[in-house]
Amino acid sequence: IDVALTDLVTTCASAIPAPRGPSAGTTRGSSRVFRGTCGGAGPEAIYQLVLGSRSHVVIRSLQTFLGVVYVRRDCADWRSELGCSDTDGGSDMRSLVDLTLDSGTYTVFVDGESADTQGTFTLDVTIEGALESLH
């Protein structure tokens, strides 16, 4: 039996800052260790999103492959997922996650839907102003 262990904390530390506005990326050659609740088994690109205040965040991804986008509060903890969107597999290869998030650090994943789905994408992160917290 061969067992391979992956240090999720180290993989999460490789996350790059999430772009503001459209930015090209690729999942080719990336890790294959994370999955979202709506799918994801291919290589993933990992981004860190830091918010200074409660904000409305819209994350769009246009993929050249069947893919998913998901957001977590804690990169290594799948139970902290806050939103997940997959492409429909038709002509529209877009994923969209629309959330209101408190200040803090989040992880955004662009992932292939299956082990063999990977390629280029355009990620667009829009942060719409600070929102008042409702109590």
Side-chain angles (χ1 to χ4, degrees):
I1 296 176
D2 287 329
V3 176
L5 299 176
T6 302
D7 181 355
L8 297 181
V9 173
T10 299
T11 304
C12 289
S14 69
I16 61 174
R20 303 302 195 271
S23 178
T26 185
T27 59
R28 288 190 181 99
S30 301
S31 64
R32 294 176 189 248
V33 297
F34 298 100
R35 289 183 183 220
T37 58
C38 63
E44 62 269 328
I46 306 170
Y47 295 89
Q48 185 179 70
L49 176 64
V50 179
L51 300 174
S53 60
R54 184 173 171 83
S55 303
H56 178 217
V57 178
V58 179
I59 301 165
R60 295 175 181 87
S61 180
L62 174 61
Q63 292 102 218
T64 59
F65 56 94
L66 292 176
V68 299
V69 172
Y70 46 101
V71 177
R72 292 182 182 172
R73 176 75 170 156
D74 179 341
C75 176
D77 183 0
W78 65 270
R79 294 169 299 228
S80 73
E81 185 179 292
L82 301 167
C84 191
S85 173
D86 62 346
T87 55
D88 69 7
S91 61
D92 188 12
M93 302 295 266
R94 298 176 192 268
S95 300
L96 172 81
V97 177
D98 186 332
L99 300 166
T100 297
L101 301 172
D102 291 325
S103 64
T105 301
Y106 299 87
T107 307
V108 176
F109 299 84
V110 179
D111 201 342
E113 201 167 80
S114 66
D116 296 326
T117 40
Q118 59 186 313
T120 59
F121 60 87
T122 299
L123 183 67
D124 187 358
V125 178
T126 304
I127 300 171
E128 299 175 354
L131 302 176
E132 292 297 320
S133 185
L134 300 176
H135 294 275

